[in-house]
């Protein structure tokens, strides 16, 4: 399980970076709290963070369940794809939102593999 | 713990469906990233996903803690109520947002039972 | 691990309170679903909840990993700082959004300590 937890902690460090960037950019782009709209560049940073949170809510439990019930070694592959996919997604979204498909696809693929693999592993255990 | 993890994975599959629907509907309803407003139907799909994420952040740890510290068998009941409540919430919200109270109430009830049960279980263990 | 889980459950109870408040305030401030804008006071309540969710996604796994791989006793300190920081953040944000820095700083500090500590603990275990 150590490698799964390590990958999760790295994904949380990446998310913390995306989050810190949103907070710092509020003053630069003059988006005063509680507003979350008004500047397109800031909204891109905000959406990268928000979308990453949505993906982490699936990634973290699915990563742990896949590692525990199917294979701790094979979990590394979708884990690394997730991290790389999120970084790519961030670069793409900031430069041009409509170009974000490859980064998004890698994340969805990683999460789908983890979710289906974890379900398969637990169903084999239970039945 | 297997049944708790199984229910959590099913809830994540349901959430993945809500999430995919939001992404696909962006082009149909012409809500270009990074915007999250502009079309009422799309905003309903988006709010179903966002609200489900808010509930999952409570559901996942509370489900695991309830199963581990109180009862793995009784956790199934609020678990199934959560899944059904979210599906009902999605149907209600999409057809008419003001009709979403029953689905929301089922989710909140499931989460409240899991949270209070988990707290009771852990306090009995600690003291 | 019991104390880490207890702190997490308390943080989830606090988040449930922030969430319930947002739902109830929709009718008072006339922000009809699916809208999430239109009244500044409601938007403050909403942002407190949303920001707390963002922080919980880091806090919960980092708290568990810190407790498991580094120290279950020392995890209590950032855990209590997190809870207090979120309460302070809520009070500050509601009274005046621009005054929210101290509450935010306490939360970020707690999460940074948990994340770095968990990473250190797991790297010592793995290598």
């Amino acid at each position: 399980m150590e490698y799964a937890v390590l990958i999760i902690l790295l994904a949380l460090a990446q998310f913390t970076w995306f989050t810190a960037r949103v907070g710092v950019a509020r003053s630069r782009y003059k988006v005063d709290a509680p507003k979350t709209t008004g500047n397109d560049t800031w909204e891109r940073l905000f959406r990268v963070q928000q979308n990453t949170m949505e993906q982490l809510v699936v990634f973290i439990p699915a990563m742990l369940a896949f590692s525990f019930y199917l294979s701790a070694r094979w979990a590394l592959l979708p884990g690394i794809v997730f991290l790389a996919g999120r970084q790519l997604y961030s670069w793409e979204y900031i430069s041009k939102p409509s170009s974000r498909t490859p980064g998004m696809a890698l994340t969805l693929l990683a999460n789908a593999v983890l979710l289906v693999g974890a379900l398969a592993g637990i169903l084999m255990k239970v039945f």
Side-chain angles (χ1 to χ4, degrees), chain A:
Chain A
M1 296 293 283
E2 274 74 28
Y3 286 105
V5 177
L6 184 59
I7 295 271
I8 289 168
L9 293 172
L10 292 176
L12 293 178
Q14 186 184 43
F15 175 65
T16 299
W17 162 242
F18 292 165
T19 300
R21 206 166 55 171
V22 170
V24 169
R26 272 194 178 273
S27 59
R28 194 189 316 154
Y29 297 109
K30 303 196 192 321
V31 182
D32 290 337
K35 293 292 162 209
T36 56
T37 52
N39 175 285
D40 186 74
T41 306
W42 187 84
E43 287 176 38
R44 294 179 191 197
L45 295 171
F46 183 58
R47 287 303 308 156
V48 168
Q49 180 219 14
Q50 295 292 308
N51 189 282
T52 300
M53 175 166 57
E54 296 165 14
Q55 301 300 319
L56 282 172
V57 167
V58 176
F59 179 71
I60 297 169
M63 183 76 182
L64 292 172
F66 185 108
S67 293
F68 194 75
Y69 292 110
L70 197 67
S71 163
R73 183 178 295 180
W74 283 99
L76 279 177
L77 191 62
I80 289 165
V81 168
F82 182 92
L83 286 171
R86 282 292 101 185
Q87 202 56 52
L88 181 62
Y89 179 83
S90 172
W91 288 330
E92 290 168 341
Y93 208 129
I94 291 168
S95 73
K96 190 166 164 239
S98 63
S99 73
R100 74 195 190 283
T101 310
M104 193 68 219
L106 284 180
T107 315
L108 290 177
L109 178 69
N111 273 353
V113 166
L114 289 171
L115 199 50
V116 171
L119 273 167
I122 208 162
L123 289 173
M124 287 189 291
K125 177 96 193 282
V126 169
F127 298 109

